[in-house]
Amino acid sequence: MDLKTLYGKECPLILAPLAGYTDPVYRTLCRRNGCDMAVTEMVSAKGLLFANENTLELLDTLPEERPVSAQLFGHEPEIMAEAVRRTAERMGDALCAIDINMGCPARKIVSNGDGSALLNDLPLAGRLMEAAVKASSVPVTVKMRLGPDETLFVAPELARIAEQSGVAAVAVHGRTRVQQYMGKADYGKIALVKQAVSIPVIGNGDVTDAESALKMLRETGCDGVMIGRGALGNPWIFREIRAVLDGEEPVPPTDAERAETALTHLCMAVEREGRRGLVELRKHLCHYFHGVRGAAQIRTKLQTAETPEETERILLDTFRT
């Protein structure tokens, strides 16, 4: 499958799944600003089998962000296959791909044998991918890390297994499991993964602006860019990268646009989830003030705001100054 069919662009810009952040509202804001595809927060395959309502809600989408890729995590092939089927039933036409998480380094995920724990058992990873591909009516992709640690660089082999299993594309975060999010992403090793397979390889790690996205593409030869932490509070990163790829000058957001987007984020979150939406939004809004004078004090105010109206006043006062 070619990239344009899978992602809508020949060099796609993808919003990475980030637990607790990439909810439907934020995915929608990123799509409005040039993101070619967004991925849900990671969803427990086992939780789907238990029909856990909190788990099922992670598959909900908003019209503007569709179609969406759903990321599942688990390590049991039979359970993964059933989770794939239930994801398709839940999401319907909103679903364009199933993504399998083989990169999450969080201790509670790894201790259960999920996420980047699969980097230690490539045969099991292969069976998991085969089961997902067989059960899925949409393309299956995989997100991985380089390996468990610097002594075990397994990503090229895992990518080859993915290709043999019928996986349509792989995304590679250029860090190991033990690195977590420390140090620098190794673009040289992502390049080796790209050279190992013929399916598309999406590069991930340390992309924070158009310049770093071009560096990623240049040094890895990868087919697209996945952006995670660099997009927090910065949905405009996608349009800026796209502008540079199209040979145009990137246009950074004005203060007025930043204020408008933060307020839109507030309104959409509260409309969707009420009080819970306001509480969840606090961590998002804090990211909008990176580089703004007095950011620490602004974040403190936002964390203690009790109502949407109070939050709105803080945002308007900040961007007026």
Side-chain angles (χ1 to χ4, degrees):
M1 177 173 289
D2 61 57
L3 282 170
K4 196 161 186 180
T5 301
L6 184 57
Y7 296 110
K9 293 280 187 179
E10 291 182 358
C11 182
L13 305 177
I14 304 162
L15 176 64
L18 292 173
Y21 283 97
T22 51
D23 56 24
V25 171
Y26 198 62
R27 297 196 303 261
T28 296
L29 291 174
C30 288
R31 288 283 270 165
R32 288 179 181 177
N33 283 279
C35 171
D36 298 310
M37 179 188 283
V39 188
T40 67
E41 299 174 62
M42 63 179 188
V43 179
S44 166
K46 194 167 285 187
L48 289 176
L49 265 65
F50 292 146
N52 179 281
E53 192 55 38
N54 289 335
T55 301
L56 290 170
E57 286 178 0
L58 293 173
L59 297 176
D60 291 345
T61 61
L62 290 172
E64 283 187 70
E65 62 167 323
R66 298 168 188 160
V68 179
S69 172
Q71 188 183 75
L72 307 181
F73 72 91
H75 66 276
E76 298 158 293
E78 299 81 6
I79 290 177
M80 180 62 71
E82 182 59 26
V84 166
R85 288 187 282 267
R86 295 195 184 192
T87 298
E89 290 171 6
R90 174 84 176 193
M91 296 183 69
D93 292 341
L95 180 69
C96 65
I98 293 287
D99 188 63
I100 302 175
N101 184 307
M102 295 191 181
C104 179
R107 182 178 297 176
K108 65 179 181 180
I109 300 296
V110 173
S111 63
N112 287 328
D114 303 328
S116 59
L118 289 159
L119 300 173
N120 288 109
D121 192 340
L122 299 193
L124 174 58
R127 294 194 298 275
L128 194 73
M129 290 185 282
E130 287 175 3
V133 169
K134 241 178 233 188
S136 184
S137 57
V138 295
V140 174
T141 62
V142 172
K143 189 169 189 287
M144 64 180 72
R145 286 191 171 227
L146 300 178
D149 55 44
E150 290 193 0
T151 68
L152 291 171
F153 176 40
V154 302
E157 185 179 353
L158 181 56
R160 284 190 290 267
I161 295 171
E163 184 172 29
Q164 293 160 7
S165 300
V167 166
V170 296
V172 184
H173 183 121
R175 289 180 173 85
T176 65
R177 183 185 71 213
V178 298
Q179 277 184 282
Q180 298 277 323
Y181 297 97
M182 305 294 288
K184 292 184 178 180
D186 191 329
Y187 289 176
K189 287 184 176 175
I190 295 177
L192 293 176
V193 179
K194 169 61 184 168
Q195 294 164 20
V197 293
S198 59
I199 58 175
V201 174
I202 308 299
N204 176 227
D206 295 349
V207 175
T208 56
D209 52 25
E211 183 180 350
S212 54
L214 290 180
K215 182 176 187 288
M216 162 80 79
L217 291 165
R218 184 174 60 249
E219 295 186 7
T220 68
C222 62
D223 302 287
V225 178
M226 180 174 278
I227 305 160
R229 291 173 296 158
L232 294 178
N234 185 23
W236 312 280
I237 189 173
F238 298 99
R239 78 173 190 203
E240 292 176 17
I241 296 171
R242 181 59 63 195
V244 171
L245 291 177
D246 291 342
E248 302 169 0
E249 279 293 318
V251 180
T254 62
D255 283 349
E257 187 176 13
R258 290 175 64 166
E260 181 182 356
T261 302
L263 287 168
T264 299
H265 199 158
L266 169 64
C267 292
M268 291 176 67
V270 172
E271 181 181 359
R272 181 175 168 79
E273 297 193 63
R275 169 70 183 171
R276 188 177 78 165
L278 179 61
V279 173
E280 288 294 313
L281 183 66
R282 289 170 179 165
K283 60 191 173 191
H284 270 291
L285 290 179
C286 289
H287 286 284
Y288 282 99
F289 299 99
H290 179 71
V292 173
R293 181 179 297 178
Q297 291 86 348
I298 297 165
R299 291 183 182 118
T300 299
K301 290 180 182 178
L302 287 170
Q303 292 296 331
T304 56
E306 292 294 330
T307 65
E309 292 76 17
E310 186 180 355
T311 304
E312 181 177 353
R313 281 197 301 273
I314 294 168
L315 292 174
L316 289 173
D317 289 346
T318 298
F319 286 110
R320 281 196 195 104
T321 58

